[in-house]
Amino acid sequence: MTVTSSPRRALDVLLGDPARELVGAVLAAAVPDTENTGTPNLRSVRPTAVTVRPSGATLVRYAVELNRPDGTPVRETLVAATGSLVPEGAAIVSGEIGGEPMRVGLWRWPHDPALPALSHVVDRDRLRTVLAHAGITPTGPITVHVRSYRPARRAVLAITTGPHHLFAKVVPPASLPGLRIRHELVSARLPAPTLLATTDDGLALMPALPGSSARTALRRGHRLPDAEALENLLDRLPADLTTLPGQPDYRRRARHYAAVLALTALPEGSDRSRVAALADAITEAEPGDHPVVPVHGDFYENQLLLRSGTVTGLLDVDTAGPGHRIDDWATLLAHLTVLDTPASRDWARSVLRHVEGRFEPKKLRPRVASAVLGLATGPFRTQRPDWADRTRQRIAVAERWLTGR
């Protein structure tokens, strides 16, 4: 795999003018022109999600608007990737940019080479076969709505047919065994989705669970579970999760987030120095000794479904495994702090009182700061127009957590 000599080179290319030419070339080959009347007219190419690695490997998802040669408007989703983020099977465009070699992998939704099951989910005939394997006979039209798509990593789609409300999660085929075992373990003890059917190409079908997300409850002023209820939920995670692979610890993640921020979202040298100093302080803080226990691994408000303040669903158990309970709490506190609404601040204060009764604040705060630093990459990743200001605001939040101010 050819990697450009400048870590930022791929980012500059995929977010700059050359991206339009790359996208246009893919669409000219991929969008059928049955009348042979010419090539599509590309109207706009807008980046909607950006993933960057410290090495400079970059992946960009684009929302594309074009007109077919007959004038019919069309919307497409395309993805371009470089370096280690290019999956096997992507179409490759090679060339030179500014005298440096560059190799770009490209694909068009839903034909993600890392997620081969994705095109099957959006194909109604193939989906009917999967539903049949799950014992579900469609009694009417099948509707499929995309809930999330992280190119080459995963997609979540909501499926409705008659009285049946389902979700399909699509992951790389190699990730499916781990996903399957985590769902089997967790759903046996907690209100996590059971898997109704899986396919070898990376599809997991599961039922929709009752309730609405805790984020929705925050927004609507509904009742929320207290910290003791959340503690009980986490205590019920099965011990067998500790035999599975775990996640990188908060210090490694802080280094990673700082490198990504320096590469992508912080053009000012003073900002980069600030983030580097913050990552140094996080990694140098005394972590303390904590027992290895089963953890969720990505525990925050959007992973909880609630009904009248009671947890009815625990979602996204893909990350469950061995870890430290303090880190699950740190992740929740980081998300609630970044939401920064009156309701989220109240819930965060209540949770913090509970957590500080169990863990030393000086051991908790670096972990929350690391999680907030990860969230600071979000505004650029989602290409918000005000990403620079929001990034700096989140860095400041991480600093306040670290220092206890």
Side-chain angles (χ1 to χ4, degrees):
M1 179 63 64
T2 302
V3 178
T4 57
S5 59
S6 169
R8 243 199 97 90
R9 175 71 65 175
L11 191 64
D12 293 338
V13 169
L14 297 186
L15 295 182
D17 292 337
R20 188 178 180 92
E21 297 178 16
L22 289 168
V23 169
V26 172
L27 289 175
V31 176
D33 175 21
T34 57
E35 302 298 325
N36 295 316
T37 55
T39 58
N41 175 29
L42 192 59
R43 292 166 51 201
S44 68
V45 177
R46 179 171 59 88
T48 57
V50 182
T51 298
V52 180
R53 296 286 181 262
S55 65
T58 301
L59 181 150
V60 180
R61 187 182 74 212
Y62 303 98
V64 180
E65 295 183 355
L66 65 148
N67 289 334
R68 294 183 187 273
D70 64 1
T72 304
V74 178
R75 292 183 177 180
E76 296 276 353
T77 297
L78 274 86
V79 181
T82 66
S84 61
L85 290 174
V86 179
E88 184 178 352
I92 301 296
V93 175
S94 299
E96 288 192 356
I97 300 291
E100 295 183 4
M102 189 163 185
R103 195 166 181 254
V104 181
L106 298 145
W107 64 92
R108 172 179 169 237
W109 167 275
H111 307 289
D112 188 322
L115 303 176
L118 187 56
S119 59
H120 298 174
V121 180
V122 299
D123 181 310
R124 297 299 190 277
D125 291 335
R126 291 180 177 179
L127 184 54
R128 285 180 185 276
T129 301
V130 175
L131 293 173
H133 286 162
I136 296 170
T137 302
T139 57
I142 301 174
T143 61
V144 179
H145 296 289
V146 180
R147 287 296 185 87
S148 66
Y149 173 47
R150 301 196 72 172
R153 293 185 60 184
R154 73 172 195 169
V156 178
L157 303 97
I159 301 168
T160 302
T161 177
H164 302 287
H165 299 278
L166 310 158
F167 283 96
K169 180 173 286 188
V170 180
V171 297
S175 300
L176 187 64
L179 175 69
R180 187 186 292 119
I181 192 170
R182 285 172 172 83
H183 273 270
E184 289 173 353
L185 289 171
V186 179
S187 64
R189 299 194 58 180
L190 289 158
T194 57
L195 298 186
L196 303 176
T198 61
T199 62
D200 291 341
D201 57 0
L203 168 66
L205 187 71
M206 61 195 76
L209 298 180
S212 55
S213 74
R215 183 172 296 178
T216 298
L218 284 166
R219 187 172 62 248
R220 296 178 178 174
H222 294 172
R223 191 152 60 92
L224 297 160
D226 59 27
E228 287 76 11
L230 298 181
E231 185 84 64
N232 177 263
L233 184 77
L234 294 171
D235 280 343
R236 290 161 57 198
L237 287 167
D240 285 349
L241 288 173
T242 60
T243 66
L244 302 177
Q247 303 292 315
D249 77 1
Y250 74 96
R251 292 168 294 184
R252 286 181 57 192
R253 291 197 299 269
R255 291 289 190 197
H256 174 87
Y257 301 143
V260 170
L261 286 167
L263 187 62
T264 63
L266 297 169
E268 299 296 331
S270 58
D271 288 329
R272 292 194 292 273
S273 298
R274 177 185 179 189
V275 170
L278 176 58
D280 286 344
I282 289 170
T283 57
E284 291 167 5
E286 173 56 46
D289 293 323
H290 302 278
V292 174
V293 298
V295 297
H296 181 277
D298 192 23
F299 188 66
Y300 69 103
E301 75 287 341
N302 240 18
Q303 311 289 33
L304 297 168
L305 296 180
L306 307 177
R307 178 173 284 175
S308 301
T310 298
V311 176
T312 57
L314 180 65
L315 306 180
D316 284 352
V317 299
D318 318 30
T319 52
H324 302 136
R325 177 62 52 80
I326 190 174
D327 290 305
D328 270 347
W329 289 118
T331 301
L332 176 59
L333 287 166
H335 279 265
L336 293 178
T337 305
V338 167
L339 278 179
D340 196 27
T341 66
S344 70
R345 288 194 292 271
D346 287 345
W347 200 20
R349 282 192 289 268
S350 173
V351 169
L352 183 60
R353 284 194 297 271
H354 174 85
V355 177
E356 288 190 334
R358 292 175 51 81
F359 301 102
E360 290 183 68
K362 66 180 181 180
K363 306 297 192 299
L364 173 68
R365 291 186 173 278
R367 290 171 159 83
V368 182
S370 175
V372 173
L373 197 59
L375 296 175
T377 66
F380 181 84
R381 186 179 66 249
T382 56
Q383 290 291 282
R384 290 186 62 107
D386 58 349
W387 63 261
D389 289 340
R390 285 183 173 266
T391 299
R392 293 187 179 99
Q393 289 167 7
R394 294 183 182 187
I395 292 168
V397 171
E399 291 170 333
R400 290 196 294 271
W401 267 107
L402 183 64
T403 60
R405 294 175 185 167

